[in-house]
Amino acid sequence: EARSQGGKKGGRKPQRPAESHTEPNAEPEPEPEPAEDALVDVCTYLPGVYADLRYATENNFTGQVIYDFTQPQLRYGTLKKLAQAQEMLAERDLALKIWDAYRPVSAQFRLWEVCPDPQYVADPTKGYSGHSRGNTVDVTLVSADGSPIPMPTDFDDFTAMADRDYSDVSDTAAYDNVRLLEDTMVSCGFRPYSAEWWHFTDTTDYPVVEE
C-alpha cells in the first residue's frame, strides 16, 4: 500500500500543482443526442432490454446463420418509442426481448435464397422488408429477470397460432400476455403485423438503410 510522506519529518514537500486555465471540476461536454434517423445500438441506449437475435444463430426456421452481428440496432426515433414500451412494462415486472431488429438488405436476400416463399419471407426483389429500414422489431415479453413467460408460440412459427386472431389461444396467460404486448406497443407508436404477433413497425417511416 502506498503511503503519503507529507506528514513525516524530512518527507518530500508536496509539489505545487501547475496552473491551469480550465475551470476546476469542469464537467465534460455531454454526448449529443443522436438524430432521429440514426441507426443505434439498442442495448447501449436501453440497457434493460434483452436480446436474442435468432438470425445471428442457427436457432431460426432456416437452420442457418443469416447475419454476423449479435446486437440489435434500430433508428433512434424508433428506439425512443421502444423505451416507452419498456418503461410501461417494467411497472409490471416485465421486459422486452428482441428477436430481430435492423436486418441488412443482403440478409433479406439471404433469407429469400434459403426460403423463397412469400408466405414466410418478404421477396426482396419486390420491395424491402421494414427490418431493412431499421424501424421494425420482432419482440416478445419476458419477466424482469429475463425468464420466459407464456406466449402463443415461439419465434417464426408459421401456424395459425402465430397470427393476431387470438381466439385460438387457449392458454389464458399466453392470451393476456400477447394482448398486453400488442396494446403496449401500439400505444407507444407501433403498427402490428397481422400474421405475426411478435412483429411491430414504427408508424414513422424511414428509408431503407444503404449498406
Side-chain angles (χ1 to χ4, degrees), residues 38-53:
L39 199 63
V40 298
D41 182 350
V42 174
C43 295
T44 296
Y45 291 92
L46 190 54
V49 77
Y50 292 90
D52 176 20
L53 295 191

Side-chain angles (χ1 to χ4, degrees), residues 55-66:
Y55 295 130
T57 72
E58 295 179 353
N59 184 21
N60 61 68
F61 79 98
T62 71
Q64 301 182 33
V65 175
I66 300 299

